[in-house]
Amino acid sequence: MPETTRELLTSGGWKDLEFGPFRTDVTIHWIRPFEGDQPGVALLKYEAGASVPRHRHEGLETILVLEGTQSDEAGDYGKGSYVVNAAGTEHSVWSDTGCVVLIQWDRPVKILEEETA
């Protein structure tokens, strides 16, 4: 039996969940926060024009785009896209239109370039 479930995420069920602050114009709903050496699983909601600065993955990251389009230096990922970023890879992320993604990180990322005000 799963420890926790979030039903109907791919059909918009995430719209009823509570999101809290993560980064400027990006909010988070934790499904399973990091605990010890266990991975973190969350939903991230990007407002149109939001971004996360360049960062390095200290562990595997997997993303499923539930709505909108998420982008990085390698391309644009629309609804239904599944993105895998290996440990040691670096990129920045943004969404011109806004998006919601289901994300799992093996380890927290290391921010390399902070946003300038």
Side-chain angles (χ1 to χ4, degrees), residues 49-94:
S51 64
V52 174
R54 189 165 189 80
H55 55 276
R56 180 175 48 247
H57 295 279
E58 302 296 321
L60 181 70
E61 171 189 77
T62 58
I63 297 169
L64 176 63
V65 180
L66 299 176
E67 183 170 291
T69 301
Q70 185 184 70
S71 302
D72 67 11
E73 293 85 356
D76 300 319
Y77 313 102
K79 183 177 181 177
S81 295
Y82 182 69
V83 182
V84 177
N85 293 302
T89 59
E90 299 178 6
H91 67 157
S92 53
V93 180
W94 63 90

Side-chain angles (χ1 to χ4, degrees), residues 88-104:
T89 59
E90 299 178 6
H91 67 157
S92 53
V93 180
W94 63 90
S95 180
D96 292 334
T97 60
C99 67
V100 175
V101 300
L102 173 64
I103 186 167
Q104 177 172 328

